[in-house]
Amino acid sequence: MSNESILSEIRDINLNYLMLAQQMIRHDKPAAIFRLGISEDVANLIASLSNSQLTKLANSQMMLARFRFDDCSILNMLTSYNKDRTLTNAHAVVLMANQPVEAIA
Amino acid sequence: MVKKSVVEEAEQIRLAIDLINLGARLQLLEAQTTLSRERLIRLYKELRGVSPPKGMLPFSTDWFLTWQPNIHSSMFLNIYEFLVEYAGVSGIQAVMAAYRVYLEQIGKGPDDEPVLSLTRAWTLIRFVESNMLKLMPCSCCGGKFIVDSYDLNENFRCGICHVPSRAGKTKRAREEQELSSGVA
């Protein structure tokens, strides 16, 4: 994969992420806050972005969304599962809900 | 006579409709809305096509401590507490929002009966508010699970890290397995 195509993929994902997030927040804000793991302020901000602002923001070379499992032990536990899928999902929800949201500093 | 606000009544009916659609029992509706019992029964019949079920609500905390219900209700309670803390919702609205997310998480179709019903979820919140049940971090994974407040919970391990030997081996699960192996 060439460097240029990686960068364009990142821009693609950024735009997709922001558009999806915006739709989720507009549709059902509490659920979106839970799913995205962002604070209410950030959610309000994303929902209020105009289309041109959105594309400008997405057009950076950096990933805008962050990986939410920054705890190694939790990640290990979830990936090395051999139990059934619903149980893994339930466990992930319980563990995710305990993490604080990303907020504007 | 107190003058009734039409707008407020409409809001109450809207709330009652949402609750009934999520599967609320009549006692929950009576506690959470200001509508009269007769109107609630009529509303229930109109939406569901049947009379509301009679009898008392489940009142024991034990149900929340058995294996599968514990995992499901812990999931719900974690979602609920997250929403109350970060999404700025409260009261019955928070219960409804958390219950919707819970239903989506377990990914059941509209015909399947979810393990945790809305009425049970609401009862759970009341148990937690009256300090009969609480969330306890598992000593193994750190996830919070529901435990009895008056049990000894030192070195508590959750039902997923430490699966009890007979967990999930219910009569229904066995029948389903026989059915699928018979088809294959």
Side-chain angles (χ1 to χ4, degrees):
Chain A
M1 207 178 205
S2 75
N3 208 18
E4 189 45 48
S5 69
I6 288 176
L7 290 178
S8 82
E9 293 267 321
I10 288 178
R11 285 195 289 271
D12 240 31
I13 290 180
N14 280 342
L15 188 61
N16 271 329
Y17 175 79
L18 286 172
M19 277 163 57
L20 178 67
Q22 204 170 44
Q23 270 175 20
M24 282 163 73
I25 295 162
R26 283 176 185 166
H27 178 241
D28 182 354
K29 201 161 87 177
I33 288 174
F34 176 74
R35 291 244 163 74
L36 297 166
I38 56 178
S39 73
E40 204 181 356
D41 298 338
V42 178
N44 287 336
L45 210 126
I46 292 178
S48 68
L49 287 178
S50 71
N51 281 354
S52 69
Q53 283 174 310
L54 207 80
T55 34
K56 255 185 225 156
L57 190 59
N59 230 340
S60 70
Q61 320 286 355
M62 299 283 228
M63 275 295 256
L64 293 177
R66 232 184 83 184
F67 197 61
R68 282 177 71 189
F69 285 113
D70 26 22
D71 190 326
C72 244
S73 59
I74 293 177
L75 189 61
N76 266 333
M77 200 173 293
L78 290 176
T79 46
S80 62
Y81 249 114
N82 43 12
K83 292 163 200 158
D84 70 302
R85 207 186 51 79
T86 47
L87 215 58
T88 317
N89 187 26
H91 210 178
V93 171
V94 170
L95 295 174
M96 285 279 221
N98 277 313
Q99 295 187 339
V101 295
E102 299 285 326
I104 306 173
Chain B
M1 204 182 113
V2 188
K3 208 176 156 196
K4 271 189 181 169
S5 155
V6 180
V7 176
E8 201 179 297
E9 204 187 345
E11 275 167 9
Q12 290 292 324
I13 291 176
R14 182 75 249 166
L15 174 66
I17 290 173
D18 285 344
L19 287 169
I20 293 170
N21 283 335
L22 284 172
R25 296 263 310 258
L26 203 60
Q27 289 93 326
L28 197 169
L29 297 170
E30 275 187 288
Q32 293 297 335
T33 65
T34 54
L35 301 173
S36 70
R37 195 183 166 83
E38 287 74 39
R39 299 200 72 180
L40 287 171
I41 293 176
R42 263 173 48 203
L43 201 60
Y44 194 100
K45 278 187 183 162
E46 212 175 310
L47 287 166
R48 288 272 162 134
V50 288
S51 299
K54 294 178 183 67
M56 283 202 296
L57 291 184
F59 54 85
S60 162
T61 54
D62 288 346
W63 185 85
F64 297 103
L65 301 173
T66 49
W67 185 69
Q68 196 194 29
N70 184 264
I71 292 171
H72 279 253
S73 37
S74 297
M75 199 157 95
F76 168 79
L77 192 57
N78 273 293
I79 298 170
Y80 173 82
E81 300 219 319
F82 183 96
L83 291 182
V84 169
E85 190 171 350
Y86 297 113
V89 285
S90 61
I92 189 68
Q93 294 298 337
V95 175
M96 279 162 59
Y99 191 70
R100 282 202 197 97
V101 176
Y102 160 76
L103 284 183
E104 287 160 16
Q105 285 297 339
I106 58 169
K108 291 238 175 175
D111 304 329
D112 299 326
E113 188 90 359
V115 174
L116 185 74
S117 68
L118 179 71
T119 309
R120 273 235 157 85
W122 176 73
T123 325
L124 171 66
I125 301 300
R126 305 218 309 174
F127 281 147
V128 173
E129 277 170 359
S130 55
N131 293 323
M132 289 164 81
L133 295 172
K134 64 172 184 183
L135 282 175
M136 183 84 189
C138 163
S139 60
C140 185
C141 66
K144 289 185 187 159
F145 287 81
I146 293 167
V147 294
D148 194 308
S149 299
Y150 301 104
D151 268 349
L152 295 168
N153 290 312
E154 235 174 278
N155 288 323
F156 163 72
R157 291 174 76 193
C158 70
I160 302 181
C161 291
H162 182 78
V163 181
S165 55
R166 285 171 62 83
K169 289 173 185 154
T170 55
K171 199 176 164 197
R172 198 199 293 164
R174 209 163 43 238
E175 277 168 3
E176 271 172 17
Q177 204 172 17
E178 275 168 16
L179 208 68
S180 60
S181 65
V183 168

